[in-house]
Amino acid sequence: MATDREISRLENIFGAMSLALVDKMEKAFADETGLGPSAIAAIVQIGTEPGLTIETLRRLIALSHSATVRLVDQLVTSDLVLRAGGVEGDKRARSLQLTESGRTLFDKSLAARRAVIHRAFKTLEPEETEQLGRLAEKLLPALVDLGDDQDVVCRVCDQGVCDQDRCPITVMT
């Protein structure tokens, strides 16, 4: 049985590992795309779900409405995002789509994310990877609050490889 000190040390390592992973991903995003974390989250969300409105995007990337509008304006000016036609039910709301350049950045962003995570995982043996998977599926729901937090935590996830039937976050509800 682990002592309180051993548990505290493990919690400390887990916190440091979590921050290192985020820091390395944000650096990889910036190196690959020249964009910051909020812009990458917007590109990933729009690429994952074309047709999002600014309001939905705002909720998914945890920015204020005005900050999301400014971000989308910058992405439109950079020819990464298009504001398409009105959305059913609210003709004032414009659906967001990636341009060809935006789609390229979407692919680069997910590849950069995979490379960072692969760097960590390649140090594990196959059985350790399986064990870590089981533990992560158990720990993640404890870190996520029901509601918008469930979407925000997945803001740069590769939804193409996510098994929604086994997602530890959506299973919470």
Side-chain angles (χ1 to χ4, degrees):
M1 179 173 257
T3 66
D4 287 346
R5 182 163 174 77
E6 290 168 331
I7 291 171
S8 293
R9 180 180 178 275
L10 178 58
E11 290 169 346
N12 201 44
I13 290 170
F14 182 74
M17 181 189 70
S18 300
L19 283 175
L21 190 59
V22 169
D23 290 347
K24 294 294 183 197
M25 278 196 280
E26 288 182 357
K27 183 178 181 332
F29 292 150
D31 290 349
E32 285 297 314
T33 69
L35 298 175
S38 293
I40 293 301
I43 293 288
V44 169
Q45 286 302 310
I46 296 166
T48 299
E49 195 174 331
L52 289 177
T53 64
I54 285 179
E55 179 55 27
T56 302
L57 180 63
R58 177 207 67 74
R59 187 176 47 77
L60 294 171
I61 64 174
L63 291 178
S64 69
H65 182 78
S66 59
T68 305
V69 169
R70 286 191 302 273
L71 176 60
V72 169
D73 287 346
Q74 291 169 354
L75 295 174
V76 168
T77 299
S78 299
D79 192 37
L80 300 172
V81 170
L82 293 171
R83 284 186 176 98
V87 177
E88 193 174 316
D90 184 357
K91 298 302 177 191
R92 296 170 300 150
R94 312 285 285 179
S95 67
L96 303 172
Q97 311 281 333
L98 293 181
T99 63
E100 189 173 321
S101 298
R103 176 57 61 183
T104 298
L105 240 51
F106 171 80
D107 293 337
K108 282 184 175 184
S109 299
L110 292 182
R113 180 182 182 275
R114 275 191 301 276
V116 168
I117 295 167
H118 178 72
R119 177 179 167 187
F121 271 56
K122 73 181 181 181
T123 65
L124 300 175
E125 297 296 325
E127 57 277 358
E128 292 172 320
T129 300
E130 288 178 29
Q131 184 178 22
L132 178 60
R134 286 190 302 276
L135 293 172
E137 286 183 7
K138 190 173 183 177
L139 287 171
L140 186 57
L143 298 171
V144 178
D145 297 323
L146 292 175
D148 288 348
D149 195 33
Q150 290 172 271
D151 294 323
V152 172
V153 78
C154 294
R155 66 189 173 276
V156 293
C157 281
D158 184 349
Q159 298 295 328
V161 299
C162 190
D163 181 351
Q164 291 298 316
D165 293 336
R166 290 186 42 214
C167 177
I169 295 171
T170 57
V171 170
M172 292 170 47
T173 57

